[in-house]
Amino acid sequence: VQLVESGGGLVQAGGSLRLSCAASGSTRSMGWYRQIPGKQRELVATISSDGESTNYADSVKGRFTISRDNAKNTVYLQMNSLKPEDTAVYYCNAKWGLLYISAWGQGTQVTVSS
């Protein structure tokens, strides 16, 4: 499975962005992670294969929403009330196949100005 992200960019604090990640095939759980240079990649949100179960980092709860459209093999991350500390490269992740192989997207930059 290959993942292609889109939707990153520059936004002012308090603004919104919507990230998309299209998979080349069907997937199991999917998620979004982010990374700042010099720091470890951290989990932002995950969603189960049927979309019924979601999980969020405490820092984004109430502001970000993860969703998926299995007909399009696509996962979304709606980011509202963005803060400068949300600035990072955001990566899409997907588990696929019988062995839950992990795939990563190329990353998309999100920059929030104060």
Side-chain angles (χ1 to χ4, degrees):
V1 167
Q2 293 183 327
L3 306 175
V4 178
E5 299 130 337
S6 61
L10 173 64
V11 64
Q12 288 188 331
S16 298
L17 282 175
R18 187 195 195 205
L19 305 183
S20 300
C21 172
S24 59
S26 60
T27 60
R28 297 182 182 274
S29 62
M30 299 186 77
W32 289 94
Y33 293 72
R34 65 188 182 187
Q35 188 170 23
I36 300 169
K39 293 194 174 183
Q40 284 192 329
R41 193 170 297 185
E42 64 175 12
L43 180 145
V44 175
T46 61
I47 188 167
S48 59
S49 57
D50 60 4
E52 292 295 315
S53 178
T54 58
N55 180 52
Y56 295 92
D58 289 342
S59 59
V60 306
K61 281 181 181 176
R63 300 187 298 122
F64 291 10
T65 302
I66 189 170
S67 61
R68 66 188 294 165
D69 183 341
N70 286 342
K72 297 180 179 179
N73 292 329
T74 299
V75 64
Y76 305 96
L77 185 68
Q78 178 66 44
M79 305 185 293
N80 299 328
S81 302
L82 282 161
K83 304 175 181 179
E85 51 264 44
D86 294 318
T87 296
V89 177
Y90 283 69
Y91 295 90
C92 177
N93 174 266
K95 304 291 194 295
W96 63 279
L98 294 175
L99 299 180
Y100 288 79
I101 299 170
S102 185
W104 291 94
Q106 80 284 1
T108 185
Q109 177 71 46
V110 171
T111 303
V112 184
S113 63
S114 56

